[in-house]
Amino acid sequence: MTFLAIKVPKNKAESVRKRAEQIGAKDKERLITVEGNYVVIPILEEFAEEFSEFEIIEQENPLFARKRRLGDILKGRIPQELYRHIPRAYKILGDVILVKLSDEISAHAKEIGEALLELHPNCKSVWRDMGKSGALRKPKLEFLAGDVNAKETIKLENGCFFKFDVTKVMFASGNQHEKMRVAKLIREGEVVVDMFAGIGYFSIPIAKHSKAEKIYAIEINPDSYFYLLENMKLNAIDNIIPILGDSKYVTPERVADRVIMGHINCHEFIDVAINALRDKGIIHYHEAVPLAVKNRPIERLKNAAKKLDREIKILDYKKVKNYSPGVVHVVVDAYVV
Ligand SMILES: C[S@@+](CC[C@H](N)C(=O)[O-])C[C@H]1O[C@@H](n2cnc3c(N)ncnc32)[C@H](O)[C@@H]1O
């Protein structure tokens, strides 16, 4: 789609605007803008010849009169009966877009990708998001539009930069507040262990926004570990100790005041987390839990503590976000003595 406009000197702008409106040439979806001594009047493509005495330009980033939606762009480009399957939500991670598509509309995936780039001209690529696979939560993506090499992006969240390759590493949304909540709980001089660090989802904001003495950040996936190191540099952080490996085996013992278990399926690691604490401390334990067994995370924590002859006091139990129908991602703050 090309966005044409007439570029007229200011002294002629009013009469040209009136003429464009009278003959129905003005594109009502775009706004008139000023560029130095010129006024840019958006027009519909089929009227360009009517204004051949003026300079006709192609607008790369037009200003729209109202926020356009994906559906507005796709009208006329896909069959009408599929309009209701147009995705209502998608993720923008830096300059990369990830979109989930239903099977009904998947034959038009390319058109949707192109429309998303039109809607977000600063973005470089669009990928179909087909979920995550395995314990490492590797993304399953299919390229849709833009530059196929534009896979690495930088997302700004909570005042921190996160660089990563969208085809190799996930970026969970919806737990932005949880990351800041934990960062704010940390007192000066604390030692923290982040057992499932990823690219630094928790460790980077903790390092940036708290006065923790040091943070051990453990990550098993070499791709995520690579970006953890990159993000430490990018955010000028020097108190994270990165460890590549399986936290089951490489978590340091009796060092921490606080342990973050930021993986939704990590109940088999609770004993490791308890052993990472000094004589007492706090564990932030995450779990995806079906509503029917809401108490399961607390029971799992208590059972693991009992086996190690330790006691647990539950400080908080919070929903982080909805995970799937009937299942919620929760976090339990547990004080272990
Ligand atoms: C779901 S992601 C973390 C998500 C992040 N906490 C958030 O909420 O945005 C979990 C991370 O744990 C890592 N991981 C999984 N099993 C692990 C293990 N046994 N040891 C260390 N890291 C592990 C994965 O590679 C992934 O980077």
Side-chain angles (χ1 to χ4, degrees):
M1 176 133 190
T2 43
F3 296 113
L4 297 187
I6 323 163
K7 191 171 172 184
V8 279
K10 272 184 178 167
N11 59 351
K12 296 196 174 145
E14 191 48 21
S15 61
V16 175
R17 180 191 65 81
K18 275 192 186 148
R19 193 172 125 213
E21 275 181 358
Q22 270 165 8
I23 63 171
K26 175 153 182 308
D27 181 355
K28 291 182 186 139
E29 293 216 337
R30 283 175 288 152
L31 294 175
I32 294 176
T33 52
V34 177
E35 282 180 18
N37 287 327
Y38 291 87
V39 174
V40 175
I41 302 169
I43 53 161
L44 301 170
E45 225 174 316
E46 58 271 29
F47 288 91
E49 279 192 6
E50 301 281 335
F51 298 90
S52 53
E53 73 267 38
F54 297 107
E55 186 185 353
I56 304 289
I57 60 164
E58 213 171 283
Q59 290 184 296
E60 243 178 63
N61 283 321
L63 273 183
F64 290 98
R66 69 180 173 92
K67 207 167 173 280
R68 289 205 316 163
R69 297 209 188 89
L70 189 57
D72 300 334
I73 298 184
L74 284 167
K75 270 186 199 140
R77 296 192 198 174
I78 63 169
Q80 200 169 350
E81 63 273 20
L82 294 180
Y83 287 177
R84 67 199 167 93
H85 297 293
I86 293 172
R88 300 221 173 100
Y90 46 88
K91 261 195 211 175
I92 301 183
L93 300 169
D95 53 12
V96 172
I97 302 175
L98 304 188
V99 61
K100 287 192 173 140
L101 301 179
S102 64
D103 290 345
E104 288 86 345
I105 205 162
S106 60
H108 298 276
K110 290 258 172 279
E111 288 98 314
I112 292 171
E114 275 151 22
L116 279 167
L117 281 185
E118 242 174 67
L119 199 58
H120 301 282
N122 295 329
C123 289
K124 295 196 180 123
S125 62
V126 184
W127 304 76
R128 181 173 179 184
D129 180 351
M130 293 182 297
K132 320 268 179 297
S133 65
L136 301 191
R137 317 270 294 134
K138 283 212 172 195
K140 287 195 276 176
L141 298 183
E142 179 190 303
F143 173 72
L144 295 184
D147 175 359
V148 69
N149 294 312
K151 302 172 183 174
E152 196 173 75
T153 187
I154 297 180
K155 176 162 172 62
L156 179 64
E157 186 185 83
N158 291 327
C160 306
F161 297 106
F162 293 96
K163 191 202 252 192
F164 60 104
D165 180 327
V166 293
T167 64
K168 292 182 178 160
V169 170
M170 63 163 282
F171 194 97
S173 47
N175 47 6
Q176 181 175 356
H177 297 293
E178 175 57 19
K179 294 168 196 162
M180 273 315 276
R181 182 185 76 90
V182 171
K184 284 188 189 148
L185 289 174
I186 292 169
R187 290 174 301 249
E188 189 168 350
E190 276 193 20
V191 174
V192 179
V193 170
D194 181 0
M195 285 176 66
F196 305 94
I199 61 171
Y201 310 104
F202 279 92
S203 292
I204 299 278
I206 288 173
K208 192 131 185 171
H209 298 297
S210 83
K211 290 191 174 155
E213 184 196 316
K214 57 182 159 194
I215 304 132
Y216 293 93
I218 307 161
E219 174 53 45
I220 199 170
N221 174 356
D223 291 322
S224 299
Y225 181 79
F226 170 81
Y227 285 106
L228 169 65
L229 302 186
E230 287 288 294
N231 290 328
M232 286 162 57
K233 278 188 253 162
L234 201 57
N235 292 279
I237 278 158
D238 61 6
N239 61 342
I240 291 182
I241 301 161
I243 302 172
L244 174 63
D246 184 337
S247 54
K248 190 116 202 152
Y249 307 107
V250 300
T251 302
E253 287 187 7
R254 301 192 80 79
V255 293
D257 300 295
R258 193 180 292 271
V259 177
I260 295 153
M261 303 183 73
H263 191 302
I264 50 167
N265 182 16
C266 63
H267 61 99
E268 284 169 359
F269 294 70
I270 299 174
D271 54 343
V272 180
I274 293 175
N275 286 331
L277 292 172
R278 297 193 233 240
D279 46 340
K280 54 187 190 287
I282 292 171
I283 296 179
H284 300 285
Y285 169 70
H286 290 243
E287 187 174 316
V289 58
L291 290 169
V293 287
K294 253 167 89 181
N295 266 343
R296 189 177 70 184
I298 293 175
E299 267 143 33
R300 283 177 163 166
L301 282 160
K302 286 192 169 160
N303 288 341
K306 204 169 164 195
K307 277 192 193 148
L308 294 172
D309 240 356
R310 307 282 287 263
E311 268 176 42
I312 267 190
K313 192 175 150 205
I314 303 304
L315 304 177
D316 214 339
Y317 179 105
K318 278 180 184 302
K319 174 173 149 183
V320 176
K321 61 180 178 186
N322 291 324
Y323 181 69
S324 59
V327 180
V328 281
H329 172 173
V330 300
V331 59
V332 182
D333 297 353
Y335 184 59
V336 184
V337 285

